[in-house]
């Protein structure tokens, strides 16, 4: 059993949990994910790692309620436990293996959309701890859905927040912020964009035009998360890749987003579909296990 | 009674079982088992034992069954096998023990598999536990993977007094026995779980949710956690696809995904959360045990099912019994047929499959006649779901994170057949991880050999 030490709502439909999982905490790196199973009858839900504390042996996850399982998960409190919590899965972000000096010379732009802000955070934090301050754009539909602002403020170089409806800070899409920054003369060597598929797709279209190599984190349907089932397969370049072992991060300019979005619809139940339509169509980060 | 024939075994009626997940074969009762046991000739130089990868004393246990001493029969099997209720159900007996049975020359072989199953079921139902080693030597051995190879190796080492921990990536132990082979062929609660509990009752610990190579590496286990030797029994779980157009469409599954959803995640039961989209018209591509299992699972979930296989019936690699059962249940076999493209509708869903007819040409290296396309014979079949069952290969997670561990060109770990030794000191391997996808009993044989190898290595260390 894996004990929940802290459970906190970040927005009405987004919550954060610190979970005791010693092996995961001691091996976790930015870019990786875990699979969580609530109880005997629950499904295996892939979730990106948002933070980890090696000393305390805890891992932080941030979850958006999408289907029945994540709604059930939100009801758990500090002191409750998950039956299963396995990881860290997937490959760590490439930059952690890069030569520190060449990395320091790089200008990196992070783009976190909605829940995608959570997996962006450990990467920015890691860089900060290694003396590199990256620019970060956080986009959300509305003020209530801007998450981890204080945490991000502490580790980011410049932080730009934008909301679709203009209810907080700047108004508009993340792509407009990217355009502005580049027009103002900022030069970026690499962009890391994590968020709803549709957001990643449009960021990639833009950065391709701007000539900025871009990494995205894919979160397709998964079952085992170890390469055993192939449910997570994606087309990257001309190759079929398994997101759970070959990713989850890929060269965004090579990912076939249209195909990935179609596959993601596979298990949308009538119930989940209705809920999604109500929220934001196709634009959540996935990982709910029921989409 | 006709001594030339097997005592028939009771089975669920095909029409009834096609709609449920209960076990197909009901097994022998005491009387039937004793009668079948009396057919055994108790050969001095028993060929059946030689054909058994774990060398069970077959005439020995059968003669105990004949006498009605089922408990003792269980101990005789237990000396060589720690998973008899499983083997009795899934071993390809026709090509092993029963294939060599002298009775089989003029009539039908003795039903060794069904007798093994009976003895194991009797022991379980009557609470008879395997004998445990009383003195522990306190030396720690790690076993990676809880499939038949890992369970056997762990059980044998525990019997010798070692302190064994199994590390399993999934949330349930059992490997293919829990995620692959379906309930109707191998009941999970009553058989697999109980047999794993027996291994644990020998003192073996199991830590689930640990992916070796990700959560912790082999070197860390040996350097930081005090394990003096490691056995890798991580199986061959990576599914292959054909590489034809349309294969990433919604509605195309690997057999592993389809079976994992149904077996491990229990998607066939309404009270479990994991969804499965069973399909209405399903094509299963392939002809092995895995293909039969996927097809029969889809059938039970309400689909019309076709098996699409590029060779002829004779070459089907599945167990004879499974093919027979599949046909009885109403699965259609499209033989000498090979898919060339999966057709996809505007929403990304499968809406058909293009195939081509094949004929058998010259035998290939494996001795099987290789199929060749018949030009101009393309046709389309109407399906909404395609399950790819083309075989699997070992997962590179471990080999890619363990320095000094040699693999071959098929990504299989290189290990000695005799004692499981790999190229890395203190690390042993066996089962599908070494051979590529094979059988339960071969994996057990390898686990057994490696347990001996590890014991020898640690004694001399
Ligand atoms: C659907 C299906 C039907 C079959 N039917 C039959 C049959 O009727 N008869 C027969 O004899 N054989 C059958 N087989 C084949 C047989 O099941 C296998 O040959 C056998 O299970 C191999 O045993 P193993 O212990 O080597 O590996 P597995 O049973 O594959 O077990 C390996 C275990 O290791 C775990 N693992 C993998 N990587 C890691 C890691 N990095 N860290 C920790 N754990 C890890 C896996 O999760 C798994 O639990 C069938 C196979 C399938 C898929
Ligand atoms: S989730 Fe099963 S292979 Fe990736």
């Amino acid at each position: 059993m894996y004990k929940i030490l802290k459970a906190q709502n970040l927005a009405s439909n987004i919550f954060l949990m610190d979970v005791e999982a010693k092996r995961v905490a001691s091996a976790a790196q930015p870019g990786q994910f875990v699979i969580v199973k609530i109880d005997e009858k629950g499904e295996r839900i892939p979730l990106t790692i948002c933070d980890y504390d090696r000393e305390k042996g805890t891992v932080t996850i941030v979850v958006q309620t999408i289907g029945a399982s994540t709604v059930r998960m939100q009801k758990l409190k500090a002191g409750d436990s998950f039956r299963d919590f396995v990881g860290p899965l997937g490959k760590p972000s490439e930059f952690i293996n890069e030569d520190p000096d060449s990395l320091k010379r790089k200008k990196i732009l992070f783009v976190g959309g909605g829940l995608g802000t959570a997996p962006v955070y450990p990467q920015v934090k890691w860089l900060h701890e290694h003396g590199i301050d990256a620019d970060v754009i956080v986009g959300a539909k509305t003020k209530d859905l801007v998450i981890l602002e204080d945490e991000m403020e502490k580790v980011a170089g410049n932080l730009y927040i934008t909301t679709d409806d203009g209810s907080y800070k700047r108004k508009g899409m993340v792509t407009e912020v990217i355009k502005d920054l580049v027009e103002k003369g900022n030069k970026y060597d690499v962009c890391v964009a994590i968020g709803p598929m549709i957001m990643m797709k449009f960021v990639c279209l833009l950065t391709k035009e701007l000539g900025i190599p871009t990494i995205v984190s894919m979160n397709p349907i998964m079952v085992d998360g170890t390469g055993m089932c192939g449910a997570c397969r994606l087309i990257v370049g001309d190759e079929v890749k398994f997101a759970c072992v070959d990713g989850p991060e890929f060269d965004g300019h090579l990912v076939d987003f249209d195909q990935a979005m179609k596959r993601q619809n596979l298990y949308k139940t009538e119930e989940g579909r209705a809920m999604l339509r109500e929220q934001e169509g196709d634009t959540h980060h996935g990982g709910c296990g029921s989409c | 009674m006709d001594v030339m024939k097997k005592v028939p075994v009771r089975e669920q009626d095909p029409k009834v079982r096609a709609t449920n997940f209960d076990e197909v074969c009901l097994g022998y009762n005491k009387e039937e088992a004793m009668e079948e046991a009396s057919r055994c000739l108790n050969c001095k130089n028993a060929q059946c034992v030689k054909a058994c990868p774990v060398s069970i004393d077959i005439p020995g246990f059968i003669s105990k069954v004949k006498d009605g001493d089922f408990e003792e029969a269980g101990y005789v099997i237990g000396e060589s096998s720690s998973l008899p209720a499983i083997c009795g159900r899934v071993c390809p007996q026709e090509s092993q023990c029963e294939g060599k049975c002298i009775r089989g020359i003029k009539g039908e072989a003795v039903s060794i598999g069904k007798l093994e199953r009976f003895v194991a079921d009797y022991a379980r139902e009557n609470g008879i536990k395997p004998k445990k080693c009383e003195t522990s030597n306190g030396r720690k051995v790690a076993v990676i993977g809880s499939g038949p190879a890992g369970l056997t190796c762990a059980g044998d080492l525990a019997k010798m007094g070692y302190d064994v921990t199994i590390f399993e990536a999934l949330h349930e132990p059992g490997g293919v026995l829990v995620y692959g082979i379906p309930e109707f062929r191998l009941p999970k609660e009553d058989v697999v779980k109980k047999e794993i509990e027996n291994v644990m009752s020998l003192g073996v610990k199991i830590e689930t949710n640990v992916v070796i190579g990700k959560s912790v590496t082999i070197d860390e286990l040996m350097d930081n956690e005090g394990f003096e030797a490691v056995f890798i029994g991580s199986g061959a779980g990576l599914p292959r696809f054909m590489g034809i157009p349309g294969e990433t469409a919604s509605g195309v599954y690997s057999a592993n995904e389809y079976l994992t959803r149904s077996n491990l995640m229990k998607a066939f039961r309404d009270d479990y959360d994991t969804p499965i989209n069973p399909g209405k018209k399903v094509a299963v591509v392939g002809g092995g045990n895995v293909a039969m299992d996927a097809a029969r699972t889809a059938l039970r979930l309400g689909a019309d099912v076709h098996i699409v296989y590029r060779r002829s019936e004779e070459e089907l690699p599945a167990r004879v019994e499974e093919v027979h059962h599949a046909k009885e249940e109403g699965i259609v076999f499209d033989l000498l047929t090979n898919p060339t493209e999966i057709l996809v509708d505007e929403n990304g869903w499968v809406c058909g499959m293009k195939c081509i007819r094949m004929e058998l040409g010259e035998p290939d290296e494996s001795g099987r006649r290789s199929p060749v396309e018949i030009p101009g014979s393309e046709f389309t079949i109407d399906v909404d779901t395609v399950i790819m069952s083309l075989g699997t290969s070992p997962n590179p997670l471990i080999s890619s994170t363990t320095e000094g561990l040699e693999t071959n060109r098929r990504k299989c770990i290189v290990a000695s057949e005799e004692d499981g030794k790999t190229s890395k000191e203190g690390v042993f391997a066996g089962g599908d991880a070494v051979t590529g996808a094979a059988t339960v009993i071969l994996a057990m044989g390898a686990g057994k050999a490696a347990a001996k190898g590890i014991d020898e290595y640690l004694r001399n260390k």
Side-chain angles (χ1 to χ4, degrees), chain B residues 380-436:
Chain B
T380 300
I381 56 176
D382 175 26
V383 290
D384 57 23
T385 300
V386 177
I387 302 175
M388 290 294 176
S389 180
L390 308 156
T392 51
S393 54
N395 196 322
L397 267 187
I398 291 179
S399 49
S400 65
T401 52
T402 311
E403 213 155 310
L405 189 66
E406 196 188 321
T407 54
N408 66 19
R409 136 185 87 76
R410 288 162 41 231
K411 301 231 172 79
C412 298
I413 297 170
V414 178
S416 138
E417 215 173 293
E418 220 162 280
D419 59 8
K421 263 203 189 97
T422 67
S423 57
K424 191 175 169 77
E425 158 133 29
V427 178
F428 296 72
D432 285 5
V434 169
T435 55

Side-chain angles (χ1 to χ4, degrees), chain A residues 35 221-233 242-245, chain B residues 239:
Chain A
I35 285 187
I221 294 165
M222 291 192 184
V223 183
D224 60 299
T226 64
M228 185 202 58
C229 74
C232 61
R233 59 198 192 279
F242 287 8
C244 69
V245 283

Side-chain angles (χ1 to χ4, degrees), chain B residues 169-249:
Chain B
L170 292 172
H171 59 269
E172 262 336 309
V176 168
L177 308 174
V178 292
Y179 79 70
I181 304 181
E183 186 72 24
F184 54 82
R185 207 144 74 75
L186 186 61
K188 307 298 162 231
E189 277 300 310
D190 293 346
V191 177
V192 180
K193 216 172 187 177
K194 292 287 156 33
E195 219 131 83
I196 292 173
E197 280 168 17
N198 278 345
V199 172
M200 292 176 77
S201 76
L202 298 168
V204 172
K205 286 167 269 188
I206 302 185
E207 204 183 313
T208 50
N209 298 323
V210 183
V211 184
I212 302 298
K214 288 286 169 192
S215 313
V216 63
T217 62
I218 289 183
D219 288 311
E220 287 165 344
L221 286 177
M222 298 180 89
D223 298 344
N224 309 338
E225 300 194 27
F227 290 99
E228 294 187 60
V230 175
F231 172 74
I232 307 173
S234 52
L238 218 66
R240 253 178 240 137
F241 288 90
M242 291 187 81
I244 57 174
E247 236 176 347
T248 51

